[in-house]
Amino acid sequence: MQAPSSIERSYTVRNSDADFLQELKPSSLLSFFQEAAGDHAKKMGLGFGLLSEKGCFWVLSKIHAEVAAKPRCGERVTVVTWPHRPNKAIYERSFAVKNEAGEVLIRAYSRWCILQKDGRIVPCSRLEQPQIDFIEERAVCVKDWSVPAVEERTSPAFSLRVANSEYDLNRHVNNIKYADYLFNCFSVQELEERRLRSFQLHYVRQSHEGDLLEFYRRELSPGVFAVEGVKNGAETVVAGQVCFDRV
């Protein structure tokens, strides 16, 4: 059965989706993306239920989002998502967020893979691929996925001990949560004085209950920050980059 090339889902930004500025939180944005992508994957024959029967699950490995404007609490938005032709073990997917006037507020480009329960990557050739007309146009052109390291780790900008509320159904810290951790490295005053223009997240390792996560930041240039999340003082679990303009 032919799957649709793209899918749309509409959301109203609720109070719980918004930050103290009453704007859509990056973590809520990723939640919208994850839900829309999951719905489309199901239509493609690669949904959670089918993969779970095979002992596999989806993992988001990288995402880059560019923000023209952040939807505000009470606004209704439409998320459009479409996948690109997979390559060996990488599934790429684009997203666009539109307001009710049809204007694109946010564009994003992501990379996903399918893992076995033991953590090994599943090659695309191991699974039956969907019948779909892939859209080649990317929502965002990402020429360089690299994120500079935070070379000098002194005092963390944010830290927490992982507990059950951070978990997803795969029993590790939900990818969405890392967006909150990333932006918790900035104060209320800093976020009031800056306008978010883009952010990028690279998921390196999984984190589990009891792990101590410490996040360090480094300003690379005015308004551009690298953020690194470290598990138990040793392993990098996530790397990110955030770009702001002054308000």
Side-chain angles (χ1 to χ4, degrees), residues 147-205:
V147 173
V150 179
E151 295 165 347
E152 295 184 10
R153 299 175 186 169
T154 53
S155 176
F158 174 72
S159 63
L160 82 158
R161 179 82 62 181
V162 176
N164 69 82
S165 62
E166 312 303 313
Y167 264 29
D168 63 14
L169 46 77
N170 294 316
R171 292 178 177 259
H172 56 69
V173 174
N174 194 317
N175 288 340
I176 294 167
K177 296 285 188 176
Y178 289 103
D180 283 333
Y181 307 159
L182 184 78
F183 285 93
N184 280 348
C185 292
F186 301 91
S187 69
V188 168
Q189 181 177 346
E190 286 177 312
L191 295 175
E192 285 178 327
E193 293 174 348
R194 294 181 167 101
R195 180 182 293 107
L196 178 63
R197 280 295 167 246
S198 69
F199 69 93
Q200 186 164 303
L201 280 166
H202 294 192
Y203 300 98
V204 182
R205 291 181 178 84

Side-chain angles (χ1 to χ4, degrees), residues 31-99:
S31 179
F32 293 171
F33 287 171
Q34 183 171 287
E35 184 174 310
D39 287 350
H40 198 200
K42 185 175 181 179
K43 290 180 178 294
M44 294 166 61
L46 292 171
F48 170 78
L50 182 62
L51 291 184
S52 182
E53 292 174 4
K54 299 177 183 293
C56 305
F57 57 95
W58 281 105
V59 170
L60 175 62
S61 62
K62 298 178 181 180
I63 188 163
H64 176 98
E66 295 187 354
V67 182
K70 293 170 74 175
R72 296 189 60 79
C73 186
E75 285 190 49
R76 190 165 180 82
V77 297
T78 298
V79 174
V80 186
T81 182
W82 62 99
H84 307 293
R85 193 176 305 279
N87 178 21
K88 294 183 179 179
I90 298 174
Y91 295 82
E92 297 176 324
R93 179 174 284 275
S94 285
F95 298 91
V97 179
K98 300 179 181 181
N99 62 15

